[in-house]
């Protein structure tokens, strides 16, 4: 198994995760903040990777009183 196999598995895992982004705002908050903490340096990179509309994501999380803070790279 080479690095190509590892890369392919990571892409497949991300594709599966993309299809399973939580719809519930509280679960979505947890998912997004975990992804931002562990894998993405900005919300834009997260949205690009998961093919998510940033405005819609921010509106959904604002509905539970959370807003994105670029300084900490999380919804607070």
């Amino acid at each position: 198994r080479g690095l190509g196999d590892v890369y392919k598995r990571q892409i497949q895992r991300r594709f599966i995760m993309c299809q399973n982004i939580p719809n519930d705002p509280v679960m979505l908050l947890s998912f997004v903040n975990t992804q931002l903490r562990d894998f993405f340096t900005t919300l834009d990179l997260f949205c690009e990777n998961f093919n998510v509309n940033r405005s819609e994501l921010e509106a959904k999380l604002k509905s539970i009183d959370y807003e994105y803070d670029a300084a900490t790279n999380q919804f607070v």
Side-chain angles (χ1 to χ4, degrees):
R1 293 189 175 192
L3 289 177
D5 292 332
V6 171
Y7 182 70
K8 286 178 188 176
R9 282 195 307 277
Q10 287 175 342
I11 289 174
Q12 289 170 339
R13 185 169 57 241
R14 290 272 171 94
F15 179 74
I16 291 168
M17 289 170 63
C18 181
Q19 294 177 336
N20 296 315
I21 292 177
N23 193 37
D24 175 76
V26 175
M27 296 299 291
L28 179 62
L29 171 67
S30 177
F31 176 78
V32 171
N33 274 346
T34 299
Q35 291 294 309
L36 291 172
R37 181 192 69 215
D38 294 346
F39 302 109
F40 300 99
T41 55
T42 68
L43 182 58
D44 288 328
L45 290 173
F46 169 86
C47 291
E48 181 180 322
N49 185 78
F50 285 98
N51 195 29
V52 172
N53 181 294
R54 180 179 172 149
S55 298
E56 291 175 9
L57 174 66
E58 288 184 293
K60 189 163 205 171
L61 294 179
K62 189 172 178 96
S63 74
I64 58 169
D65 298 321
Y66 281 83
E67 293 186 24
Y68 181 67
D69 176 31
T72 59
N73 190 38
Q74 65 180 340
F75 281 85
V76 293

